[in-house]
Amino acid sequence: MIRFSTSRLLALLLTGLCTLAHAQSASTAPSGKITYEGLRRVDMSRIRMSVNGQEIRPGSGDVPEGIPDVVSFTQKLIFAGSYAKEERDRTQNPMRPNRAGDANSSPNGASASGAPAGRADMRMTRMNDQETYLDMASRQRISILTVRRDSTTQRYRTERPFPKAEGWETSDKTKKIAGYVCHKATVTRRNAPYTIWYTTDLPFTYSPIADLTPDKGVVLQIESDDESFKASAVSLEPVDAASLQPPTDVKTISQEELEQIRRKQMADFRQRMMQNGGFPSRN
């Protein structure tokens, strides 16, 4: 017969209780989705366009009419357990090329916005795909960048910690957003004032603008003169946790290397536009 001392039995009992509590916590960890409606003002000074194969710059008389200075989009955070993933809806760009048979073209050859045919020979395409995952436990943002060139595809992974909240000024003001009580804070980012509303009623930390992540809490509304996000819905529902874990079979690079790849992709994109009469080639 195996005999255990009282202290040994207590230790085994405590270990079992801790294991059970951890398993129950993992199985009951909340999962769901936060849907944000976003607006962002376009910095026209950074836009590069090609019309009929000639590069033009904002401010010149050749810039097509009807270019929007504000874009809207929907961004979602899908979460389960200690992992989450950002997703952004690909909304139709109003600056589609005006071609025969295009749904945005009218019979007289003018675009739906009224601009003459040939003036809106521009479109924005995705040169690559980037996925953003979040490891809530280690407070890491993980980016997976897929770069396509000709017939080859390369994937890269970068990691960076959640930015540290600095310069936040909290307030006693509260309001409800998507059913959650939110607290007000203000902060300056890139010389611009931001107003932030965050809730501590969700058991993780997140902000749709990474640089403005609080020490604790989930930002449900954030706004400045140039951009804004507001949660239109927070739904707690079952989510496949495995789908939120970032892939590991990709090449890990530094943030600096990632920026170099992006700059090269942008240069290649502009060159293809110039070579194809204002339209990037489809590889």
Side-chain angles (χ1 to χ4, degrees):
M1 179 181 295
I2 300 176
R3 298 180 181 276
F4 294 100
S5 65
T6 302
S7 59
R8 177 61 173 167
L9 285 172
L10 287 174
L12 289 172
L13 179 60
L14 288 173
T15 300
L17 289 174
C18 290
T19 301
L20 178 61
H22 178 76
Q24 289 178 338
S25 176
S27 63
T28 59
S31 63
K33 176 175 60 180
I34 304 177
T35 302
Y36 295 91
E37 302 303 327
L39 291 173
R40 180 167 288 135
R41 190 176 303 279
V42 178
D43 184 355
M44 300 303 293
S45 66
R46 301 180 63 182
I47 297 297
R48 297 294 179 268
M49 306 174 230
S50 178
V51 175
N52 297 327
Q54 298 296 320
E55 185 174 358
I56 61 175
R57 295 177 179 272
S60 70
D62 295 326
V63 175
E65 298 177 1
I67 298 179
D69 59 356
V70 175
V71 294
S72 61
F73 52 89
T74 299
Q75 182 166 305
K76 300 175 183 177
L77 179 76
I78 305 170
F79 58 92
S82 61
Y83 283 95
K85 183 182 180 182
E86 289 181 344
E87 291 185 355
R88 180 172 293 188
D89 289 352
R90 299 183 185 181
T91 55
Q92 179 62 52
N93 193 303
M95 294 295 297
R96 293 182 60 196
N98 184 23
R99 292 177 170 177
D102 192 314
N104 284 351
S105 299
S106 62
N108 63 5
S111 67
S113 64
R119 294 271 300 181
D121 289 348
M122 179 185 74
R123 70 178 169 187
M124 300 178 185
T125 62
R126 297 175 67 89
M127 297 173 295
N128 49 56
D129 290 316
Q130 178 169 314
E131 300 174 290
T132 300
Y133 297 84
L134 296 97
D135 184 340
M136 303 296 192
S138 61
R139 295 177 66 90
Q140 292 280 331
R141 293 181 63 90
I142 302 167
S143 296
I144 305 295
L145 181 69
T146 301
V147 177
R148 299 178 180 86
R149 180 182 300 171
D150 298 327
S151 59
T152 63
T153 300
Q154 180 67 56
R155 303 180 78 193
Y156 303 95
R157 171 183 173 131
T158 60
E159 301 178 5
R160 62 189 179 101
F162 285 7
K164 182 177 176 57
E166 295 182 353
W168 285 54
E169 296 184 10
T170 57
S171 167
D172 293 334
K173 293 184 178 180
T174 62
K175 71 174 181 179
K176 272 197 172 184
I177 301 174
Y180 289 83
V181 175
C182 293
H183 307 272
K184 182 181 179 181
T186 56
V187 67
T188 299
R189 172 181 181 256
R190 299 176 183 173
N191 298 320
Y194 281 76
T195 300
I196 299 167
W197 295 91
Y198 65 98
T199 182
T200 56
D201 293 339
L202 290 167
F204 55 91
T205 297
Y206 173 74
S207 171
I209 299 179
D211 292 348
L212 298 178
T213 301
D215 288 331
K216 180 182 180 181
V218 176
V219 173
L220 294 185
Q221 183 174 347
I222 186 167
E223 54 191 349
S224 72
D225 290 339
D226 294 323
E227 60 184 335
S228 68
F229 290 82
K230 184 175 182 179
S232 57
V234 178
S235 58
L236 300 181
E237 57 191 48
V239 172
D240 179 14
S243 67
L244 305 182
Q245 298 190 24
T248 57
D249 57 341
V250 296
K251 182 179 180 180
T252 300
I253 61 176
S254 67
Q255 194 68 32
E256 292 74 17
E257 291 173 313
L258 178 66
E259 292 304 321
Q260 291 177 0
I261 292 172
R262 284 175 173 164
R263 285 193 292 269
K264 187 176 188 312
Q265 284 292 104
M266 181 62 71
D268 291 346
F269 174 76
R270 291 173 182 166
Q271 184 177 10
R272 289 199 302 271
M273 287 189 69
M274 298 298 292
Q275 292 173 345
N276 290 276
F279 299 101
S281 61
R282 290 178 179 239
N283 295 322

